[in-house]
Amino acid sequence: MIETADDFVRLRNSSDPQQCCRAAAEEASVQVWTEVIDRYPEERVGVVQNKTVPLAVLELLIDDPDTRVRFMVTMKRKLSPDLLERLAHDADESIRMRVAQHRNTSRETLESLRHDPWSEVRAAVEDRLGGTGRDLP
């Protein structure tokens, strides 16, 4: 288990591949993740890349000023339909596209994306809704 923000940063920046893997796979408390976000903003992408990062931490990063961080959040399989609904209103079209493609995106959110300004997002929504929609939450 990752015990401190400093431990996480040390693991992430290690030249040892095993240490880097630990940064991506080991659990940490919400308090540790919050400390990493606050003290080491350049490591926010690394926080999102961790396989065990809790939804509460991802929720903190949904409004991150860095598009890369928000995009990485949309890549997480564990996102709830509520969090995806929030991301569906993002200014960045690549994030809205990922929401349109995400398996946990609700039918209601997809319906709202049918009117997206970017035609590619609208097309992705039509692909999802055009079939039977059986895979939709």
Side-chain angles (χ1 to χ4, degrees):
M1 183 159 181
I2 300 168
E3 300 292 335
T4 67
D6 293 329
D7 287 345
F8 176 75
V9 172
R10 180 182 48 77
L11 292 169
R12 280 266 304 159
N13 295 308
S14 174
S15 59
D16 180 355
Q18 288 183 322
Q19 297 296 309
C20 293
C21 285
R22 286 185 57 206
E26 286 189 17
E27 291 183 36
S29 69
V30 171
Q31 180 181 355
V32 168
W33 293 128
T34 304
E35 185 179 351
V36 172
I37 292 165
D38 292 342
R39 289 185 47 214
Y40 301 99
E42 70 280 4
E43 296 293 342
R44 294 176 311 217
V45 168
V47 170
V48 177
Q49 288 175 329
N50 180 281
K51 292 176 182 2
T52 68
V53 67
L55 275 175
V57 174
L58 295 174
E59 187 170 5
L60 293 174
L61 295 170
I62 280 179
D63 298 316
D64 196 272
D66 187 338
T67 302
R68 294 172 307 142
V69 173
R70 296 190 319 274
F71 184 81
M72 293 297 296
V73 169
T74 64
M75 299 297 289
K76 299 301 272 191
R77 290 183 188 164
K78 65 173 89 174
L79 283 183
S80 67
D82 291 341
L83 296 180
L84 287 159
E85 169 63 30
R86 286 178 52 195
L87 286 162
H89 303 287
D90 198 279
D92 188 272
E93 58 195 22
S94 68
I95 292 169
R96 296 191 316 272
M97 173 61 89
R98 183 64 192 117
V99 170
Q101 297 169 334
H102 199 286
R103 69 180 184 169
N104 293 343
T105 301
S106 70
R107 176 175 290 281
E108 293 79 20
T109 300
L110 288 171
E111 290 288 350
S112 73
L113 286 171
R114 273 192 159 152
H115 308 289
D116 194 85
W118 192 30
S119 63
E120 296 295 321
V121 170
R122 293 191 310 267
V125 168
E126 289 305 317
D127 285 347
R128 295 275 316 276
L129 293 175
T132 61
R134 281 188 228 139
D135 66 329
L136 298 175

